[in-house]
């Protein structure tokens, strides 16, 4: 009996604590979520000004990310070319996939 009752009680207690400290505050709009949200009027926000700046910066980083990806692809192509030049006639040739 104890082998079944103790794990069931611990599972139920974990569920109740999760509801009380996580789910219920989120339903009332007081939870601190991973996504950035504007604070409601009259309610304190758990997000800082640094979080707001980071969210704004992430939305404008799309173009710089694409430029960085293009730069890294060119660097990989140069490294593959250098590898081809270093390998001799008796070396094993590696097959490379073209970037998509």
């Amino acid at each position: 009996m104890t082998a079944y009752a103790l794990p069931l009680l611990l599972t139920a207690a974990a569920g109740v604590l999760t509801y009380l400290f996580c789910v219920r505050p989120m339903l009332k709009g007081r939870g601190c979520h991973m996504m950035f949200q504007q604070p409601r009027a009259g309610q304190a926000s758990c997000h800082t000004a640094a979080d707001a700046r980071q969210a704004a910066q992430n939305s404008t980083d799309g173009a710089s990310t694409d430029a960085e990806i293009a730069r890294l692809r060119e660097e990989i192509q140069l490294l593959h070319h250098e590898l081809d030049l270093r390998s001799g006639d008796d070396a094993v040739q590696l097959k490379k996939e073209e970037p998509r």
Side-chain angles (χ1 to χ4, degrees):
M1 169 86 179
T2 305
Y4 295 112
L6 187 59
L8 288 174
L9 288 174
L10 289 175
T11 302
V16 168
L17 291 174
T18 300
Y19 176 78
L20 289 175
F21 293 109
C22 296
V23 176
R24 192 176 63 161
M26 285 190 292
L27 291 175
K28 291 184 178 181
R30 292 181 288 155
C32 191
H33 306 106
M34 294 300 291
M35 294 174 40
F36 178 75
Q37 295 178 350
Q38 295 293 331
R40 295 182 183 167
Q43 291 184 350
S45 174
C46 58
H47 300 285
T48 63
D51 293 335
R53 283 192 303 271
Q54 183 68 28
Q57 181 182 4
N58 287 344
S59 66
T60 59
D61 283 347
S64 63
T65 302
D66 291 339
E68 181 72 12
I69 290 172
R71 186 187 67 79
L72 291 172
R73 283 186 177 157
E74 290 176 11
E75 185 176 345
I76 289 172
Q77 287 178 347
L78 289 173
L79 291 172
H80 281 300
H81 183 67
E82 183 179 327
L83 179 66
D84 288 341
L85 292 176
R86 285 186 181 185
S87 62
D89 293 332
D90 58 344
V92 176
Q93 296 293 321
L94 300 175
K95 294 184 180 182
K96 303 173 283 282
E97 292 183 357
E98 292 296 319
R100 298 177 189 161

